[in-house]
Amino acid sequence: MNFKERNLKNNPDVKICASMISSYSVPSKPTVTLQPSWTQTYSGETVTVRWKVMAAVKLQHSWSQIFTGETITLRCEIQGGEGKVWKYEWTAPNTNSPPTSSEYRISRVSVSHSGDYRCRGSSDYLFTGWSDAFRLTVSFPSKPTVTLQPSWTQIYSGETVTVRCEIQGGEGAQWTYEWRAAKLNTPPTSNEYRIIRATESDSGGYSCRGRRDYFFSEWSDIITLTVSLTASNRPVVTLYPNWSEIYRGETITVRCEIHGGDTEWDYEWETNSMIKAPNQNEYRIRSASSSNSGNYRCKGRMKSSQHETTEWSDSVTLTVSDNEPRPVLTVSPSWLSPGASVTLNCEVEHPSAGWSFYWYKAVPDLSEKSSSYELLPDGSGTAQDSYIIHGQTHTAGYVCRAGRGDPEYHTDHSQPKFVWSAALTFKH
């Protein structure tokens, strides 16, 4: 903010008016203020006239989320300074030579670009104030997942199925979708499409990815759909959730599905686990243990004719580990200058298996020679395995843990990791 002063000494009973303002070369549409705020002054008094010109940082796109690898442009807009030729200054993280133009373009943005951006302008004797901080947060996009609704990977001719592309943590990101599919002459650009009256030619693998401008996510894993000409009543055993390893204490459902027809069934299970499944189509294990590990298969018996049975399904293997997973926390940087940003990363076994993350500050309890954990702001159940702390000014310790499932199963807390501040002070 810049101002000019004029000492009104030899002109009694002077009134400040708009004609006085017009004698200066100032930006159009300024905000004029007086200090003191009286509009009438007297001989010998001093009055200051200020023109308030504001700067603001704005993102070119109205995206709520920015992902690594994208190209973005920040603009410095000066309000009330129309008609002036401006020079620009920027303050920003992760840069040694900020631009001097009104635009700040970042190609292939990374997590280290997260932080506060400010700008201001200068023209002749006029300076704006520094803009309010624009907080930029850059995150890693999740790998997309293809799902089917209904969830059966085997259907029959004439049935309808919806194929959906889901990007966890990317909600509201204005994606355009690309598909690799068995039979798509004109692939859709939306996140789902419906196969009405499926035929055998719809059988095959389906995968997708998200696109935004020139940025692409990874391709999803392939999900294979099989369309059969005639219905078969051979059951299929499914696990929900279908994670490769289940930990002791988690909840999992083993389900026997007999697809096709309106027949009502009784169910029979065969398993080599230590605990037998009940004769129902679903077996819900509320607190799994290694005794539930084993192979499961099922068959159905018609309620209307107990002599009519299906074939046995293929076996599905359930593995329950008695080892409790413990995440590993890393911090970067571990030694920092005051006010810098710190990135926490929480690594857990089987990282794609539905984990969400919790972030804590370790608060030492000197009397107990231990620490308690204080949840960080917005640090409860995040989809991303990284968390950024802005404006770190002191030494601190952090821990993380992970959770998944319904009801949610939680890992133990990680070992604490410390971030050391270069601005240590010592009391004498």
Side-chain angles (χ1 to χ4, degrees):
M1 184 182 298
N2 205 11
F3 63 88
K4 296 184 178 183
E5 297 186 352
R6 182 176 180 183
N7 193 350
L8 310 176
K9 290 185 177 180
N10 300 313
N11 190 5
D13 202 19
V14 175
K15 294 184 178 180
I16 304 300
C17 62
S19 61
M20 170 183 170
I21 308 285
S22 65
S23 64
Y24 295 98
S25 175
V26 298
S28 59
K29 298 181 181 177
T31 300
V32 180
T33 59
L34 303 178
Q35 181 63 35
S37 59
W38 307 309
T39 57
Q40 180 170 349
T41 60
Y42 298 97
S43 177
E45 290 187 312
T46 299
V47 65
T48 299
V49 183
R50 290 189 174 94
W51 293 268
K52 187 176 182 181
V53 185
M54 301 296 295
V57 177
K58 295 185 177 180
L59 184 65
Q60 180 184 21
H61 296 88
S62 58
W63 294 333
S64 58
Q65 291 176 307
I66 304 296
F67 298 104
T68 55
E70 293 192 291
T71 296
I72 64 168
T73 300
L74 299 170
R75 285 200 179 98
C76 185
E77 296 183 359
I78 297 179
Q79 302 156 358
E82 295 80 359
K84 302 290 287 184
V85 178
W86 295 97
K87 296 179 181 178
Y88 296 85
E89 296 178 62
W90 291 84
T91 63
N94 193 30
T95 184
N96 295 321
S97 54
T100 56
S101 63
S102 62
E103 290 192 347
Y104 192 155
R105 181 179 173 85
I106 306 175
S107 299
R108 298 190 61 80
V109 69
S110 67
V111 172
S112 62
H113 288 104
S114 297
D116 292 339
Y117 290 75
R118 294 180 175 86
C119 74
R120 71 174 181 177
S122 63
S123 179
D124 297 331
Y125 298 104
L126 181 64
F127 285 81
T128 73
W130 284 104
S131 69
D132 291 336
F134 178 88
R135 174 65 54 83
L136 178 66
T137 301
V138 182
S139 57
F140 295 99
S142 298
K143 186 176 181 178
T145 302
V146 175
T147 60
L148 302 176
Q149 182 61 41
S151 60
W152 305 308
T153 56
Q154 181 174 347
I155 63 174
Y156 303 99
S157 294
E159 292 192 300
T160 296
V161 64
T162 299
V163 187
R164 185 175 293 120
C165 185
E166 298 177 350
I167 303 178
Q168 188 179 21
E171 297 80 1
Q174 299 175 358
W175 296 105
T176 298
Y177 294 82
E178 295 187 4
W179 290 89
R180 289 174 177 167
K183 176 191 171 185
L184 282 177
N185 296 325
T186 307
T189 56
S190 61
N191 71 320
E192 69 177 39
Y193 66 94
R194 241 170 119 79
I195 302 173
I196 300 174
R197 298 189 62 81
T199 66
E200 282 188 294
S201 62
D202 292 306
S203 298
Y206 291 80
S207 65
C208 69
R209 70 176 177 179
R211 177 171 63 85
R212 187 166 72 172
D213 282 356
Y214 300 104
F215 169 78
F216 295 86
S217 73
E218 293 182 73
W219 283 101
S220 70
D221 292 334
I222 296 172
I223 190 168
T224 301
L225 177 67
T226 302
V227 183
S228 301
L229 279 175
T230 57
S232 166
N233 60 6
R234 187 180 187 187
V236 175
V237 175
T238 58
L239 302 178
Y240 182 79
N242 189 21
W243 295 325
S244 59
E245 186 166 18
I246 305 298
Y247 295 101
R248 182 178 62 193
E250 290 196 275
T251 297
I252 188 166
T253 298
V254 186
R255 184 177 294 132
C256 182
E257 296 178 345
I258 303 176
H259 187 46
D262 298 324
T263 305
E264 293 186 356
W265 302 95
D266 289 323
Y267 296 85
E268 183 179 344
W269 288 91
E270 185 175 85
T271 176
N272 59 356
S273 71
M274 296 174 64
I275 299 177
K276 301 303 179 183
N279 291 329
Q280 300 171 358
N281 72 315
E282 262 188 16
Y283 173 32
R284 185 169 174 84
I285 306 169
R286 297 188 180 277
S287 183
S289 68
S290 58
S291 61
N292 296 115
S293 296
N295 298 320
Y296 290 78
R297 69 174 188 165
C298 69
K299 70 177 181 179
R301 187 182 303 275
M302 288 186 182
K303 287 190 174 182
S304 59
S305 173
Q306 291 294 303
H307 299 290
E308 296 292 332
T309 64
T310 69
E311 303 174 67
W312 282 102
S313 69
D314 291 332
S315 291
V316 169
T317 301
L318 172 63
T319 303
V320 181
S321 173
D322 280 337
N323 297 322
E324 295 187 9
R326 187 168 196 176
V328 176
L329 179 67
T330 57
V331 298
S332 179
S334 56
W335 185 274
L336 72 159
S337 302
S341 295
V342 177
T343 300
L344 312 180
N345 283 285
C346 195
E347 183 177 351
V348 68
E349 291 182 271
H350 310 295
S352 63
W355 295 108
S356 56
F357 297 89
Y358 296 81
W359 309 90
Y360 304 87
K361 183 177 181 180
V363 180
D365 186 341
L366 299 180
S367 63
E368 300 289 337
K369 295 183 180 180
S370 62
S371 295
S372 60
Y373 301 139
E374 179 182 296
L375 194 66
L376 291 170
D378 299 322
S380 177
T382 66
Q384 302 295 330
D385 60 0
S386 62
Y387 183 94
I388 300 173
I389 299 170
H390 299 281
Q392 180 82 25
T393 58
H394 59 280
T395 296
Y398 299 96
V399 297
C400 72
R401 68 172 177 168
R404 68 180 185 181
D406 182 19
E408 192 167 34
Y409 164 85
H410 293 102
T411 69
D412 197 359
H413 293 87
S414 68
Q415 291 287 353
K417 289 291 182 179
F418 289 87
V419 176
W420 306 96
S421 173
L424 294 176
T425 57
F426 299 93
K427 294 183 179 180
H428 298 283

